[in-house]
Amino acid sequence: MSTLTERYVQEVVRRIPGDQRDEVAGELRATIADTLEARGAPEAERDVLIEMGDPIRLAAGYADRPLTLIGPELYPAYTRLMAVLLSTVLPLTVAAAVVLDVLDHNDAGSAIGAGIGALFAVGAQLVVWPTAVFALIERSRLRRGSALTAPWTPDDLPEPGRSPARRTARAYASAVWDMLLLALIVWQHAAKPYGTDGGERAEVLLWSGWMWPVVAGLAGMALAELVRIAVGGWNLRLATGYAAAGAVFALPLAWVLYRHEFFDPAFLADVEVAPAFYTVAALGVLAVTAGDVVRRFREAV
């Protein structure tokens, strides 16, 4: 085996999983040798390798690894999700940023600036993170059999007189609510919108270590809702993911409420909150989240 062929084979096999390398290397060497023998021209080795193509492309075929960021199987679900995010979530988030800036007693110029800032900042996040998630799914073995790659059937067509947007209005509302709530929690932590009697700025909700899983759970719930919109319905795997995100969100939040550590002490210095509020709120969070999870599983089966 010549040095040129061996270099080509090694360039291919180093890009595929280790358990396939010996088999693929033997197959490639045999293919190249048989082709050269059939042509009866050993000097045609360079031409044979050119015909076999770029080693990166050949290795991708052996490893079933896509050479596109998002392939044709996932592309329809990706475009549906992006349409929802950019036509629904982004405008509402920008509007919320403007309203919150106005409520903070700023002038029109400040409110416009807040809206433009939210448009670019949130818009970039809504494009980058879903694209990154879909790119990872594209390269994952979980792509096979995923609801995202389920074949299209006529059942996916909208019912007469009803648009897809109306059919999934509840999912839209739930996803938007989760994302706006997430944005509000993060915003009040960063902006400290409450002005105390001493003229200092304070949070309304106390950002403790428990708030991180609450935020992560909200993000997971919103993501599950958006994927549900993209694939056109719930399945058991997606409902299980929503349930896990719901637990990450609800359990720490209920614990914080139970311990009366929900509001910032500076806010409580000016506002009196009845002790019963914490108990009712904790039970409400658990009940509402559990009800949402049950509904998702009912729709999945």
Side-chain angles (χ1 to χ4, degrees):
M1 188 63 62
S2 74
T3 302
L4 189 60
T5 295
E6 192 60 32
R7 284 166 52 197
Y8 183 87
V9 171
Q10 292 303 317
E11 187 67 12
V12 173
V13 299
R14 76 182 184 87
R15 301 175 185 276
I16 63 177
D19 56 351
Q20 301 179 24
R21 290 178 179 175
D22 291 341
E23 179 182 353
V24 170
E27 179 181 333
L28 285 175
R29 294 187 183 102
T31 299
I32 296 171
D34 291 344
T35 304
L36 290 174
E37 182 179 356
R39 294 187 180 184
E43 67 277 3
E45 179 185 25
R46 182 181 180 84
D47 294 334
V48 171
L49 297 182
I50 292 175
E51 293 173 5
M52 295 186 69
D54 192 316
I56 295 178
R57 188 179 299 276
L58 190 60
Y62 280 112
D64 191 23
R65 184 183 302 117
L67 292 178
T68 56
L69 186 63
I70 298 173
E73 290 184 331
L74 291 176
Y75 187 74
Y78 171 73
T79 55
R80 285 194 292 266
L81 176 58
M82 295 306 299
V84 172
L85 292 175
L86 298 180
S87 66
T88 305
V89 177
L90 181 58
L92 287 174
T93 304
V94 171
V98 172
V99 170
L100 290 172
D101 196 81
V102 171
L103 293 177
D104 203 28
H105 308 292
N106 292 322
D107 56 23
S110 176
I112 294 174
I116 295 175
L119 176 66
F120 285 101
V122 177
Q125 299 296 325
L126 291 179
V127 171
V128 169
W129 292 112
T131 302
V133 170
F134 270 81
L136 290 174
I137 294 174
E138 181 70 47
R139 285 150 181 78
S140 169
R141 295 182 179 181
L142 297 176
R143 172 169 58 91
R144 301 186 185 91
S146 168
L148 290 169
T149 59
W152 181 90
T153 70
D155 295 334
D156 297 322
L157 291 171
E159 297 177 12
R162 297 184 63 188
S163 67
R166 286 187 59 188
R167 186 179 60 177
T168 57
R170 182 184 299 177
Y172 286 172
S174 181
V176 170
W177 168 254
D178 288 339
M179 297 189 73
L180 288 179
L181 187 57
L182 173 62
L184 183 61
I185 292 174
V186 175
W187 171 82
Q188 69 88 36
H189 172 61
K192 294 181 169 47
Y194 184 73
T196 64
D197 291 339
E200 298 179 354
R201 310 297 293 181
E203 301 175 334
V204 176
L205 307 182
L206 178 63
W207 189 283
S208 64
W210 290 105
M211 194 59 74
W212 287 106
V214 171
V215 169
L218 267 176
M221 293 163 65
L223 178 61
E225 290 283 4
L226 293 173
V227 173
R228 171 256 180 268
I229 295 170
V231 302
W234 291 98
N235 56 65
L236 288 177
R237 181 181 297 177
L238 190 55
T240 301
Y242 182 90
V248 173
F249 162 74
L251 295 178
L253 182 55
W255 177 251
V256 167
L257 287 164
Y258 171 75
R259 291 174 57 87
H260 296 195
E261 296 177 354
F262 184 65
F263 294 109
D264 191 295
F267 175 76
L268 290 177
D270 298 333
V271 179
E272 183 177 354
V273 178
F277 165 82
Y278 297 100
T279 301
V280 172
L283 293 176
V285 166
L286 294 174
V288 170
T289 305
D292 287 343
V293 169
V294 170
R295 281 194 295 272
R296 271 59 175 179
F297 275 104
R298 284 180 177 175
E299 294 179 21
V301 297

